[in-house]
Amino acid sequence: MTPYLKKFLSINWILLALMLALAIFGIVAVYSATVVRDDSLTFWRKQAEWIFFGALTFFVVSLIDYRWIRWGALPIYLVSILLLILTKLKGKTVNGARSWLDLGPLHFQPAQVAVIAGILVLALFLSQFRNLHPMIKLLFCGAIVGAPCLLILLQPDLGEVIIWVPTVLALLFIAGIPLRYMIVIVLFALLALPVAYFFVLKPYQQQRITGFLNLSSDPRGANWDITQSLNAMGSGGWSGKGFMSHDTLLSMGVFKTAGHTDYIFTAIGEQWGFLGGVALLSAFTLLIFTGLFIAFRSSDDLGLLIAVGIVALIFTHIFQNVGMTIAMLPITGVPLPLVSYGGSFALVIMFGLGIINSVWVHRKVLP
């Protein structure tokens, strides 16, 4: 039996099954959310193509020892920084943010690549320099995170910046940074919020926050989207209206452009109801716990930190996307992993899950 066949047979089949189940359900959800559009076939077919390439990426990355990150993390990180700079100079503006980049047939958000690259570099640094003083570690981590965050803020893309916070905190916690230092970081972040609100955020972003704090203030203006999102999910009831039934969502002005992306969970709630939403979140919960189980079975600190960082990234995306559609969080435009329409994002997530699987496959191999 060849080494690669042995590796293939030793992959984590639960992780694979959950990833594919969520991805296939995402294709179905995208189809149902775009069926009212004349170009509906384009979306689910493109999503299916990206999922296919994402699955191939997952298998390839799974079979390669994740310790390649020791030499590959920094180049990927530097490339992501260059892509962010290029996006600022020549990027495409969507929904008020210059966050998209066109490179031939590729149309993607470099901020999503930068987060994965940042996780790899942070994991490498924290695993290689565990004995440094915590303050020195924090300074280096701040520099690693600060550069891409600043470039993303300049777009401005608040949602992707927020993704960094819990992800970095999870890595610092697992790396053994004392709790008192992390509390100080959180306090400084809270103190910086008013400054960011008045001097960094655009007017439409400020309206999203003020609307979130007072949902009844402008139900036909700034709060129209979230109000209709709540109405749509509420109309789904216990078991939903049925597949491709979304008459409530049709009243949303943004549904035809965002019902398959930012508001995919809303579409699922209306069609499959409370039970459908719980089933989806249960699958995500199993995926997260499987990732954490793999992380703590890693043979070294590098594998542990990488897996925890990617799991934190996925969890934060889920929490933000679902939270904004049910009015628990302000609207940030963050997609739902593997389910929202977005080929490059699905590819990034499946690449990350492939690294987690590589940690599992190579857990018995000495570093």
Side-chain angles (χ1 to χ4, degrees), residues 47-305:
Q47 186 75 355
E49 291 172 0
W50 278 105
I51 293 300
F52 173 77
F53 288 115
L56 290 180
T57 302
F58 172 86
F59 283 113
V60 171
V61 174
S62 296
L63 299 180
I64 300 174
D65 196 323
Y66 66 91
R67 295 176 185 87
W68 65 264
I69 289 167
R70 290 174 176 169
W71 58 264
L74 186 58
I76 295 175
Y77 174 81
L78 294 176
V79 168
S80 71
I81 295 294
L82 291 175
L83 289 174
L84 287 174
I85 294 173
L86 188 60
T87 302
K88 179 60 181 174
L89 297 175
K90 296 181 179 282
K92 181 180 179 181
T93 300
V94 178
N95 295 328
R98 183 178 288 184
S99 56
W100 291 83
L101 188 63
D102 288 322
L103 293 178
L106 293 177
H107 179 64
F108 65 103
Q109 287 181 283
Q112 296 167 350
V113 179
V115 176
I116 282 284
I119 290 172
L120 299 183
V121 173
L122 282 172
L124 179 62
F125 171 76
L126 292 170
S127 65
Q128 295 294 314
F129 300 97
R130 292 193 70 96
N131 295 325
L132 283 178
H133 189 277
M135 187 57 69
I136 298 176
K137 285 185 184 179
L138 290 175
L139 289 174
F140 274 97
C141 290
I144 293 169
V145 174
C149 277
L150 178 61
L151 290 169
I152 295 170
L153 272 177
L154 291 175
Q155 293 179 356
D157 189 346
L158 181 62
E160 288 299 329
V161 172
I162 294 175
I163 291 294
W164 285 86
V165 179
T167 303
V168 172
L169 287 177
L171 283 169
L172 293 177
F173 177 77
I174 295 297
I177 298 295
L179 189 59
R180 63 182 182 276
Y181 288 96
M182 299 180 65
I183 292 174
V184 171
I185 293 173
V186 172
L187 290 176
F188 270 110
L190 292 175
L191 291 173
L193 288 179
V195 178
Y197 177 84
F198 288 106
F199 299 103
V200 177
L201 300 186
K202 298 289 185 180
Y204 74 91
Q205 292 173 320
Q206 293 176 341
Q207 288 179 355
R208 288 177 176 178
I209 294 176
T210 55
F212 162 73
L213 295 174
N214 186 6
L215 289 176
S216 61
S217 61
D218 192 9
R220 295 188 174 275
N223 290 335
W224 172 257
D225 297 345
I226 187 58
T227 301
Q228 296 306 311
S229 176
L230 292 173
N231 290 338
M233 282 193 287
S235 68
W238 182 253
S239 57
K241 297 178 178 178
F243 183 55
M244 295 191 298
S245 299
H246 37 58
D247 50 287
T248 304
L249 269 177
L250 287 176
S251 63
M252 290 178 62
V254 299
F255 177 61
K256 288 190 176 182
T257 57
H260 56 304
T261 54
D262 299 349
Y263 292 97
I264 192 71
F265 189 74
T266 303
I268 293 168
E270 182 173 9
Q271 294 177 45
W272 282 285
F274 177 79
L275 292 178
V278 168
L280 177 61
L281 294 180
S282 297
F284 274 126
T285 301
L286 288 175
L287 181 72
I288 289 167
F289 276 105
T290 302
L292 290 176
F293 176 77
I294 292 173
F296 288 101
R297 293 294 299 273
S298 172
S299 60
D300 61 4
D301 291 337
L302 178 61
L304 168 65
L305 288 164

